Amino acid sequence: MPFSLILSRALTALLTLIGVMVVVFVLVRVVPGDPIAMMIAPGASETDIAALRAVYGLDLPVWQQFTIWFGQVLGGDLGTSISMKQNVMTIIADRLPATIELALLALAIAVLLGGTIALVSTAWRGTWVESLIDNANGLLLAVPDFIWALTFVLVLGVLVPLLPISGRSDPTIDHGLATQFFVLEGLLRGKFAFVGDVLKHMVMPAFAIGLPLAAVIGRVLKNTMMDVMVQDYIVLARIKGLSNGRILLQEALRNAAVPALALTGVQFTFLIGGTVITERIFSYPGIGNLAIDAVINRDLPLIQGLVLTFGVIFIAVNMLVDALTAWLNPRLRHA
């Protein structure tokens, strides 16, 4: 990818991030509700309320509040949470690893399941197997993630209690980890029993989030592979005597993967945003669950910090996908 294109993408990302900051800052202040009124003690005087508003800078004009916050963000400070009385950056850093690990597991499930759907449908195209898989894929696509979450809680958590329905790990286990990346650090330190417990807590929310994405990947990848299967080089491969399995995996899948990769990257950013309701249902301690608490408490600094975090993730993932797509596609790589 040319340097000029990289510079252009980086500049666009910066402008997009600034736009996100402006929009979220204005929106959280025009929405009805006063965060100070929710945290002030009953019977507090107007003087006390005014003093508390001054502490959080809410007595200043909106443009001045934004200027101060923008300067803080440039310095790596997202402010102090009104409801939790902690540094916003610290709160998000403590919760973000949980959401990242959950989203990555959900993505792995979606890619494996979606890829399997596409391969089987293509291999059995024109038969009842393809029709059955298409109908099942339509069901996965039609049912939203929170419905899957509630169904899993009812079936696998209550009726047949096979998996834990809340939390991130067993609170009685002393893991002794230095970071909140439980799976990664647990594997590196050889704490396999603890990692297994964490994965047990992640299975249901990860499947709830990943199933709709698997349906999207499966449908797009199947359609792309169907187009590839009629190309001349596929016919040539058949003439050479290559088996159907080898043609599917080495020729069709490899050439159909680039559009599916671009879609998966875009959907991954929505997948992270989609963890909000699912994390709430499973009481999973990620930034999705934190976002709901921030909105309920009208915690303006925390809401701003979370939206900014989602924006950074969205931009970073899309830039990574663009780079991978250009690397995998020779026409884009040498453009």
Side-chain angles (χ1 to χ4, degrees):
M1 184 180 293
F3 177 76
S4 59
L5 183 57
I6 296 176
L7 185 61
S8 174
R9 295 285 176 85
L11 181 59
T12 301
L14 179 61
L15 294 176
T16 301
L17 201 56
I18 294 175
V20 169
M21 293 175 65
V22 173
V23 170
V24 67
F25 193 89
V26 173
L27 286 180
V28 296
R29 279 158 177 77
V30 300
V31 174
D34 186 359
I36 301 301
M38 300 185 68
M39 62 183 297
I40 200 72
S45 65
E46 291 295 331
T47 303
D48 294 333
I49 296 175
L52 193 57
R53 291 182 64 84
V55 168
Y56 290 99
L58 298 177
D59 59 331
L60 301 174
V62 173
W63 68 267
Q64 193 171 350
Q65 293 182 42
F66 177 78
T67 302
I68 294 173
W69 180 61
F70 188 80
Q72 290 177 334
V73 172
L74 292 179
D77 181 13
L78 297 180
T80 302
S81 167
I82 295 176
S83 61
M84 303 177 70
K85 308 294 191 300
Q86 298 178 33
N87 183 274
V88 171
M89 183 75 78
T90 302
I91 297 173
I92 294 177
D94 188 58
R95 296 287 195 97
L96 183 58
T99 296
I100 290 177
E101 290 191 338
L102 176 61
L104 288 176
L105 180 59
L107 179 64
I109 291 171
V111 170
L112 290 174
L113 183 56
T116 302
I117 289 172
L119 286 172
V120 175
S121 295
T122 305
W124 294 84
R125 58 192 180 280
T127 67
W128 64 270
V129 175
E130 180 188 8
S131 178
L132 178 63
I133 292 178
D134 285 346
N135 290 330
N137 197 51
L139 176 64
L140 293 180
L141 193 61
V143 179
D145 51 8
F146 68 90
I147 297 297
W148 287 117
L150 294 173
T151 302
F152 290 151
V153 169
L154 177 62
V155 176
L156 299 178
V158 179
L159 297 180
V160 186
L162 297 177
L163 296 169
I165 62 175
S166 65
R168 193 181 178 195
S169 64
D170 188 342
T172 62
I173 299 178
D174 183 16
H175 53 77
L177 300 182
T179 70
Q180 293 298 313
F181 287 98
F182 286 176
V183 175
L184 177 60
E185 187 179 351
L187 289 174
L188 293 176
R189 291 195 177 196
K191 297 180 179 292
F192 301 116
F194 174 69
V195 172
D197 179 69
V198 172
L199 291 176
K200 283 174 58 179
H201 283 77
M202 292 172 62
V203 166
M204 287 199 292
F207 265 96
I209 299 170
L211 287 179
L213 178 57
V216 175
I217 293 175
R219 176 168 294 183
V220 172
L221 186 58
K222 175 200 169 184
N223 291 338
T224 308
M225 290 182 68
M226 289 292 192
D227 294 336
V228 169
M229 291 299 290
V230 298
Q231 299 298 317
D232 293 341
Y233 60 86
I234 297 295
V235 177
L236 181 60
R238 293 188 187 280
I239 295 174
K240 290 181 178 180
L242 296 182
S243 64
N244 287 333
R246 189 173 177 181
I247 290 174
L248 280 174
L249 295 176
Q250 292 188 1
E251 303 294 336
L253 181 59
R254 183 177 62 184
N255 288 281
V258 174
L261 172 64
L263 171 73
T264 302
V266 173
Q267 290 295 320
F268 179 69
T269 57
F270 292 111
L271 182 146
I272 292 180
T275 63
V276 174
I277 298 178
T278 302
E279 285 188 2
R280 194 66 169 186
I281 292 174
F282 289 97
S283 298
Y284 189 82
I287 59 174
N289 204 351
L290 181 65
I292 294 179
D293 289 333
V295 172
I296 291 175
N297 295 321
R298 286 281 295 160
D299 193 332
L300 304 187
L302 187 53
I303 294 173
Q304 293 165 185
L306 286 168
V307 174
L308 185 60
T309 301
F310 281 119
V312 170
I313 294 174
F314 184 90
I315 292 171
V317 170
N318 278 279
M319 291 185 67
L320 177 61
V321 170
D322 287 344
L324 287 175
T325 302
W327 180 69
L328 291 172
N329 192 327
R331 289 174 297 180
L332 294 177
R333 185 165 64 242
H334 300 295

